[in-house]
Amino acid sequence: MMEKALLPGLTLPELENYVKALGEPGYRARQISEWLKKGAGFEDMRNLPGSLLDVLRGSAIAQPASILSRQRSRIDGTEKYLFSLQGDHTVEGVLMRYRHGLTLCLSTQVGCRMGCAFCASTLGGKLRDLRAGEMVGMATLINRLCQPERVHNIVLMGSGEPLDNYDEVLRFLNLITSPDGLNIGARRISLSTCGLPEEMRRLAREGLPVTLSVSLHAPNDTVRRFLMPIAHRVSMAQLLSACRDYAQVTRRRVVFEYALIHGVNAAVDQARELARHLAGMLCHVNLIPLNDVPERDLRAATPQEVAGFRQALENAGISATVRREMGADISGACGQLRAQYLKNPVGPMWKETSP
Ligand code: SF4
């Protein structure tokens, strides 16, 4: 059987070709595109003829994502979603309320094959890549739900390594920044990677100045190899060289993510070592107080360790902030909602949690 086309994954010219191939006038593409931008399904497209809708239902999908569960934090309004996708797959998404607007965190793969020790998303490996149309579908669905507000920023930091799904992620970036789509500026998008130098350099040349957020999490190769298997293939020197190139080509500062883990990477000496590596680079360090990951026996650094680490970086002239914990009452580590659901599927649910 032929696979159905994912309409949110098509550009407007591609959609035009698609409707023309069905014997319809090209202007129908614009009508469909306006609906897709609103996260609509075929049932909403009331200005299209019934005959066209019948054909479309047989050959295409308008909204590839649906919401299986939605939890809302009573502390700060953060919302955590579990999406259902084709093939009985599930991925998570998080909507955070910052002063600079609503920020949506999306996944790029079902699971992940990178194996980072602190990450629940990788426990079952990678099941499949997400398609651009699925990522656009999740974004438009959430944008629709948060009206009259809108999604202002997107971070690709959910499950998956975005650069391990390069072509579909690039297509997503082009669609989501397009005036025909949600029109979210590239500068309001962050892409988080565990550090694949070749793909980072390729991305720098795409002309999409997204913020590159690099999961560093270590002051040297030894600690990084303990936490992140990718470090066996890519040394810190190779990674930081690609980061310098990215900053130079895009003129965007690179953000380094650093989850502070008690007894592993949170000592003041390690902060000084990190600062020596980053000296002179256009960059910022985002310190993350890790949520405990019981599956991996990793514990969060203490508040004193977090403060001391940050101070040591700043003393060495490296800009650093501590990430505010969002949705502390609902989140846990990334991937935990999906893990809970896989253990105990309960069907659609809405839950508001108390601190
Ligand atoms: S932190 Fe990111 S790259 Fe590492 S295993 Fe988790 S999802 Fe994959």
Side-chain angles (χ1 to χ4, degrees):
M1 208 170 67
M2 254 218 338
E3 212 182 328
K4 288 187 173 182
L6 295 188
L7 297 186
L10 302 183
T11 62
L12 189 57
E14 287 169 342
L15 196 54
E16 254 166 35
N17 289 339
Y18 188 81
V19 296
K20 282 181 187 164
L22 297 176
E24 291 286 331
Y27 70 85
R28 294 285 184 212
R30 171 68 68 184
Q31 290 176 312
I32 296 171
S33 162
E34 289 300 322
W35 283 115
L36 295 175
K37 205 180 345 183
K38 292 178 187 149
F42 290 131
E43 66 285 2
D44 300 302
M45 301 184 186
R46 289 177 295 276
N47 57 346
L48 297 183
S51 54
L52 172 57
L53 286 172
D54 287 344
V55 175
L56 285 174
R57 279 194 188 95
S59 64
I61 294 170
Q63 180 44 275
S66 61
I67 294 172
L68 266 178
S69 89
R70 182 182 182 190
Q71 297 183 357
R72 184 185 167 94
S73 161
R74 284 192 181 159
I75 297 175
D76 54 26
T78 295
E79 293 180 13
K80 192 151 192 176
Y81 294 90
L82 189 66
F83 295 100
S84 168
L85 301 172
Q86 277 180 299
D88 223 8
H89 288 298
T90 54
V91 290
E92 294 180 6
V94 183
L95 184 71
M96 292 158 288
R97 293 170 191 280
Y98 289 112
R99 259 193 312 248
H100 54 277
L102 295 182
T103 298
L104 177 61
C105 173
L106 288 177
S107 297
T108 54
Q109 296 176 318
V110 184
C112 183
R113 62 180 181 148
M114 294 298 159
C116 302
F118 46 81
C119 176
S121 297
T122 196
L123 292 172
K126 180 184 99 169
L127 299 183
R128 75 164 168 87
D129 289 327
L130 290 200
R131 296 181 54 199
E134 294 177 306
M135 294 179 249
V136 173
M138 291 187 283
T140 54
L141 200 54
I142 299 306
N143 194 56
R144 177 182 187 166
L145 279 178
C146 60
Q147 297 297 317
E149 294 180 90
R150 55 164 301 194
V151 172
H152 270 92
N153 312 288
I154 290 193
V155 293
L156 297 180
M157 282 189 191
S159 68
E161 162 54 59
L163 298 182
D164 186 40
N165 182 16
Y166 192 93
D167 292 342
E168 291 296 317
V169 166
L170 181 64
R171 175 172 271 270
F172 165 76
L173 292 175
N174 281 314
L175 288 164
I176 211 77
T177 53
S178 162
D180 299 324
L182 285 187
N183 199 10
I184 295 177
R187 287 167 187 273
R188 290 197 273 120
I189 299 176
S190 292
L191 181 150
S192 172
T193 177
C194 66
L196 308 180
E198 196 181 314
E199 289 79 1
M200 288 160 62
R201 290 195 169 94
R202 194 174 152 199
L203 183 66
R205 295 192 302 270
E206 303 284 2
L208 278 166
V210 298
T211 299
L212 192 67
S213 197
V214 176
S215 296
L216 193 59
H217 306 304
N220 55 47
D221 283 319
T222 310
V223 176
R224 199 157 193 267
R225 283 187 202 122
F226 170 70
L227 292 173
M228 304 177 73
I230 185 69
H232 291 281
R233 282 198 279 137
V234 178
S235 69
M236 286 237 333
Q238 290 168 320
L239 173 58
L240 295 178
S241 159
C243 292
R244 284 194 180 86
D245 289 351
Y246 190 89
Q248 196 177 22
V249 173
T250 61
R251 299 182 187 282
R252 306 278 293 154
R253 72 177 184 177
V254 172
V255 175
F256 290 106
E257 305 289 342
Y258 197 108
L260 288 159
I261 306 167
H262 178 76
V264 175
N265 64 359
V268 167
D269 278 356
Q270 291 173 311
R272 294 193 189 112
E273 189 179 3
L274 176 64
R276 285 195 291 278
H277 284 298
L278 304 186
M281 195 190 304
L282 183 60
C283 72
H284 177 81
V285 179
N286 203 359
L287 297 171
I288 307 161
L290 182 84
N291 293 300
D292 288 344
V293 183
E295 294 92 338
R296 295 286 176 116
D297 201 19
L298 296 176
R299 284 198 299 123
T302 63
Q304 292 76 10
E305 283 173 312
V306 174
F309 200 93
R310 178 185 170 196
Q311 194 59 54
L313 285 180
E314 298 222 314
N315 290 349
I318 304 293
S319 135
T321 43
V322 178
R323 187 194 284 175
R324 191 156 57 95
E325 205 181 352
M326 302 296 285
D329 51 335
I330 54 167
S331 63
C334 241
Q336 286 186 346
L337 183 62
R338 176 168 169 265
Q340 271 168 23
Y341 177 81
L342 293 178
K343 264 190 227 152
N344 181 25
V346 288
M349 63 175 182
W350 165 271
K351 195 162 104 188
E352 190 148 7
T353 55
S354 319

